[in-house]
Amino acid sequence: MTKVSVIIPAYNAMTYLPKTVESVLKQTFTDFEVIIVNDGSSDGIEQWVDTITDNRVKLVSQKNQGAAAARNTGIADAKGAYIAFIDSDDLWEPTKLKKQVYCLDNNPDVGLVYAWTSSIDKNGNNRGKIFANNSEGYVWEKLIEENIVMSGSAAMVRRDCFEKFGVFDDNLRFAEDREMWIRIASNYSFAVIKEVLVYYRHHANNKSRNYIQSIDNFRLIIEKTFQSVPFELLYLRNRSYSRVNLILAWKCIQNQEPDCNKAEYFREQALKHNPQLLFSIHNFRLTIAIFLMRWFGTNGYVQVLKQLKVVRLFITSFTR
């Protein structure tokens, strides 16, 4: 049996897909297969895959059904004991699979292991943002409030988890990975590799920037999750809605057409669900962002962010 199956959902992804596949094939751990799931693309992906000489790579094509269904198609075709996912525009460090395989091999109670993620721009340049979470062990309650895994490209999962809890909910078109992780966390421990092994590419076409579509998906995830939780944990439901509203507020600011009024609305909703959030660093950062955008306008706000990025990059390089 192949040790790891790497699944790459791809929909008109040829702008970045070759670099993504290259980062997978450069892994120091070599016992893996790569399943590229062509989700109804029209950009020549089939012809491109035909040029790949590495026999570990295969293409499975289907009509367009969305990322969740594409991942499920990959899982159904996978032969690996462990399954790793990478989005078609992201990148991996060469040791990503090796370190996660070692973790799962030596921790049979762990169902999912994730790694830290760094943000890059459309050209692959470091944006100075690292998503680092140290949560491991029993993380269900933590995962209800925030997506500690951060990126769908950061997780490696035991095949047994999908056999026990089912696959991704293809009714969801956003955050379907988080909903899957919540199900797994209800019965399995999580582990984390505390170093950056994943690079999330930030660009104008990121699905995660569509906050209008996000609203209904987040609500479906929360209601689905709390259908059968113990009574004593129902208090987490309001916290979940609070964090979701914070996320939506940020999306309103980061959207191609920023809307401060909607951002402020979602911030207020977040505080209604969890008044204690008022004194949190999350609320403080959001409040400052809304203020800066109102004061300087969209262009001025972007310039402020550019200056902050320079500072972050300087600090990052200085502390290495």
Side-chain angles (χ1 to χ4, degrees):
M1 180 180 287
T2 303
K3 190 71 171 181
V4 179
S5 294
V6 178
I7 297 173
I8 310 177
Y11 173 68
N12 290 338
M14 284 304 296
T15 301
Y16 303 113
L17 181 60
K19 287 291 185 182
T20 298
V21 173
E22 180 183 350
S23 79
V24 174
L25 295 180
K26 285 184 175 179
Q27 293 296 300
T28 57
F29 180 86
T30 59
D31 185 14
F32 64 85
E33 63 175 351
V34 181
I35 303 171
I36 303 172
V37 182
N38 171 24
D39 190 36
S41 301
S42 58
D43 59 353
I45 185 175
E46 293 175 335
Q47 292 79 4
W48 173 75
V49 172
D50 285 341
T51 68
I52 299 176
T53 58
D54 194 316
N55 59 14
R56 292 174 297 179
V57 180
K58 67 179 295 186
L59 181 72
V60 178
S61 293
Q62 64 180 32
K63 65 180 182 180
N64 181 248
Q65 300 174 55
R71 290 192 184 102
N72 293 342
T73 296
I75 292 170
D77 198 80
K79 298 178 177 62
Y82 305 149
I83 298 178
F85 304 92
I86 180 168
D87 290 342
S88 58
D89 49 3
D90 293 344
L91 302 172
W92 282 346
E93 280 287 337
T95 59
K96 196 261 188 188
L97 291 183
K98 177 182 178 181
K99 291 176 178 178
Q100 291 188 313
V101 166
Y102 180 86
C103 177
L104 291 180
D105 280 350
N106 290 278
N107 297 277
D109 61 316
V110 171
L112 182 152
V113 54
Y114 65 101
W116 290 354
T117 299
S118 180
S119 178
I120 58 176
D121 64 20
K122 62 181 182 179
N123 297 315
N125 300 313
N126 188 353
R127 298 181 68 240
K129 292 183 179 180
I130 294 177
F131 304 102
N133 198 301
N134 295 325
S135 299
E136 53 187 344
Y138 175 72
V139 299
W140 186 86
E141 291 186 24
K142 185 76 172 177
L143 198 55
I144 285 296
E145 291 192 55
E146 62 177 305
N147 186 10
I148 63 173
V149 181
M150 289 306 300
S151 167
S153 303
M156 180 181 286
V157 184
R158 290 188 191 276
R159 185 189 191 92
D160 295 351
C161 293
F162 297 110
E163 294 173 351
K164 184 171 184 177
F165 297 107
V167 291
F168 293 90
D169 185 344
D170 57 14
N171 292 314
L172 299 173
R173 291 293 175 131
F174 178 82
E176 67 281 348
D177 51 346
R178 181 179 175 185
E179 192 274 331
M180 185 74 243
W181 309 155
I182 290 172
R183 275 186 275 154
I184 294 173
S186 65
N187 275 269
Y188 283 88
S189 294
F190 279 32
V192 57
I193 308 297
K194 298 177 182 179
E195 59 181 289
V196 172
L197 299 177
V198 179
Y199 296 93
Y200 170 80
R201 196 184 299 272
H202 184 92
H203 54 84
N205 295 325
N206 285 132
K207 179 180 66 173
S208 60
R209 299 182 74 174
N210 188 339
Y211 71 89
I212 295 177
Q213 187 182 69
S214 304
I215 297 173
D216 289 338
N217 279 257
F218 274 130
R219 182 173 183 176
L220 283 171
I221 291 170
I222 292 173
E223 294 305 322
K224 180 178 179 180
T225 298
F226 281 92
Q227 281 179 352
S228 57
V229 303
F231 181 81
E232 62 270 19
L233 295 178
L234 286 178
Y235 73 94
L236 292 171
R237 186 172 177 272
N238 270 346
R239 290 191 187 180
S240 298
Y241 274 112
S242 178
R243 184 58 66 95
V244 162
N245 277 282
L246 272 187
I247 293 171
L248 293 173
W250 276 112
K251 289 185 183 298
C252 291
I253 292 175
Q254 296 165 347
N255 200 36
Q256 288 182 319
E257 297 180 4
D259 190 326
C260 287
N261 291 329
K262 285 186 178 178
E264 180 61 34
Y265 167 79
F266 285 123
R267 190 187 77 89
E268 291 175 357
Q269 291 299 310
L271 292 173
K272 287 179 179 178
H273 282 288
N274 183 14
Q276 293 181 341
L277 193 68
L278 178 66
F279 305 103
S280 71
I281 186 64
H282 302 291
N283 179 60
F284 175 75
R285 289 179 62 242
L286 178 60
T287 302
I288 293 297
I290 294 173
F291 170 80
L292 290 174
M293 186 165 281
R294 289 191 187 281
W295 186 262
F296 295 107
T298 301
N299 293 333
Y301 176 72
V302 170
Q303 293 303 314
V304 171
L305 290 185
K306 287 182 178 178
Q307 295 301 316
L308 291 175
K309 176 183 175 182
V310 171
V311 173
R312 282 199 306 267
L313 290 173
F314 173 77
I315 294 174
T316 300
S317 61
F318 183 76
T319 55
R320 283 178 178 173

